[in-house]
Amino acid sequence: MKIIFISQFWEGFKNSASHRFRCEWIAPYLNADIYDGIQDLNQYDIIIYQNTHSPQSQAMAEKYRNKIQIFDISNPIHLLNPQEFKFMADRCRFLTCSSVDLYKDLLLTPYRVYHIPDRQNLDFYKVKKVHEDHYPILVWFGFNQNYENNIGWMLDYIKEQEFQLLTISDEPLNYGKFIKWELETSNENIVKGDIVLNPPIKYKSNNKTTTAWALGLPAVESILDIERFMCYNERVREQDFRLKEVKEKWEISRSAKKLMGIIKNESGIIKFGWHGYPSN
């Protein structure tokens, strides 16, 4: 089976985290290609649309609907762009998604769906935090548009406790020391902090939390968590525990193996007609 991923990256979204977690890092395990606008899609058996539902992707999904096509979803497209979601889903054999919240929602649709968590390419994380016994520096990283939803409610507490806050983002934010996000320097900048702030946002995966763990940093969801990790010894203990967990549970090959198993199973269903599909 020849497999190709089509992601938002080729459409110009160069900072797409889902491209890394669900396309770039998985493709080598599947011996898959990543579409750059040049490949002849007639040469592939399986096309995976990674979070893309643009007019170009819709045209390709229509043209190649006789192939095994997969719609991989990282955002609540079914709510934000319901017509585009339906168009893509109707032309794909099944859906995959990155978070439990998405999975629960998509189970209510007529489409077959599988949850494949975002996992980590541990080779990407060359640096590890060396913790020091000092008043901790807080760090938040992500797109500017998610800042208020994610940690806006924490800012009064952060100011009252006189924490230093590093914000690593695409645009300056309204509080904290700003560092411009660049993939090549992101890890070195994140470990300048001691505690990563990452309260959950509905439909988002936990990839920022596991990124923090892979770098040796605690990731917190609440003020109580911050207060726990003000203790240097707690930060060191958490580092030891989470580095082991990331290696055992959050390594990217596990997601690649799960996706390959689903593809093989679905290919068998297609070949032998074990049961039907949602109408196209």
Side-chain angles (χ1 to χ4, degrees):
M1 292 185 294
K2 290 192 67 177
I3 302 172
I4 190 165
F5 286 86
I6 299 175
S7 81
Q8 292 178 310
F9 191 84
W10 80 278
E11 297 172 340
F13 295 92
K14 302 301 183 184
N15 287 325
S16 169
S18 63
H19 171 82
R20 293 195 307 279
F21 287 102
R22 309 187 65 79
C23 179
E24 180 183 349
W25 288 350
I26 285 182
Y29 291 93
L30 276 58
N31 196 27
D33 292 330
I34 298 175
Y35 187 67
D36 58 14
I38 297 175
Q39 296 96 329
D40 178 5
L41 296 181
N42 287 301
Q43 303 302 311
Y44 294 88
D45 305 295
I46 297 171
I47 302 173
I48 302 174
Y49 298 93
Q50 200 292 301
N51 214 47
T52 179
H53 46 93
S54 65
Q56 300 97 311
S57 295
Q58 291 181 45
M60 288 187 284
E62 174 65 23
K63 182 176 180 179
Y64 299 104
R65 62 188 298 169
N66 61 315
K67 295 181 179 292
I68 301 172
Q69 298 193 113
I70 303 166
F71 191 21
D72 180 59
I73 300 168
S74 304
N75 295 314
I77 300 167
H78 62 300
L79 301 178
L80 300 174
N81 306 97
Q83 290 183 327
E84 294 175 11
F85 165 77
K86 185 177 187 303
F87 186 97
M88 294 296 295
D90 280 348
R91 287 153 181 79
C92 291
R93 298 290 187 178
F94 59 92
L95 316 179
T96 54
C97 65
S98 60
S99 74
V100 173
D101 287 332
L102 282 173
Y103 179 66
K104 288 179 179 178
D105 269 23
L106 295 173
L107 282 175
L108 302 177
T109 71
Y111 310 106
R112 198 154 49 252
V113 58
Y114 300 91
H115 175 219
I116 301 178
D118 287 349
R119 289 190 172 94
Q120 297 289 349
N121 174 11
L122 299 184
D123 291 338
F124 178 69
Y125 300 96
K126 304 295 185 184
V127 299
K128 296 289 183 288
K129 176 68 180 181
V130 178
H131 286 284
E132 299 177 17
D133 190 2
H134 60 208
Y135 200 66
I137 298 169
L138 308 181
V139 58
W140 180 86
F141 60 94
F143 284 113
N144 176 292
Q145 65 189 30
N146 295 325
Y147 173 68
E148 286 294 335
N149 272 345
N150 202 197
I151 65 166
W153 62 276
M154 286 182 161
L155 288 183
D156 286 344
Y157 170 80
I158 291 170
K159 293 174 184 178
E160 288 171 4
Q161 298 299 316
E162 298 183 347
F163 283 110
Q164 182 179 346
L165 173 65
L166 301 180
T167 59
I168 305 170
S169 189
D170 53 325
E171 298 290 343
L173 308 174
N174 59 14
Y175 186 77
K177 179 182 178 182
F178 171 69
I179 301 175
K180 177 74 173 178
W181 169 271
E182 299 288 349
L183 181 62
E184 295 76 13
T185 58
S186 59
N187 293 339
E188 288 79 3
N189 286 327
I190 291 169
V191 299
K192 291 176 181 176
D194 300 291
I195 300 171
V196 170
L197 305 178
N198 190 35
I201 299 177
K202 189 172 185 180
Y203 299 119
K204 294 291 186 182
S205 83
N206 68 338
N207 63 49
K208 286 171 61 177
T209 289
T210 58
T211 293
W213 294 348
L215 291 169
L217 290 162
V220 302
E221 298 184 353
S222 69
I223 289 171
L224 284 176
D225 289 339
I226 295 174
E227 292 177 346
R228 172 191 168 194
F229 291 118
M230 288 178 69
C231 173
Y232 161 76
N233 290 330
E234 283 294 313
R235 297 199 298 273
V236 172
R237 278 193 287 268
E238 179 77 353
Q239 180 181 59
D240 293 341
F241 177 74
R242 296 302 186 182
L243 285 174
K244 182 179 179 182
E245 179 177 341
V246 167
K247 187 175 181 180
E248 292 178 351
K249 297 181 180 179
W250 296 102
E251 201 277 320
I252 191 67
S253 64
R254 294 173 65 91
S255 288
K257 182 178 180 180
K258 182 172 184 178
L259 177 58
M260 195 69 242
I262 294 167
I263 288 172
K264 288 181 178 179
N265 181 58
E266 289 281 347
S267 298
I269 292 171
I270 292 163
K271 181 177 180 181
F272 297 107
W274 292 340
H275 57 76
Y277 289 96
S279 62
N280 285 344

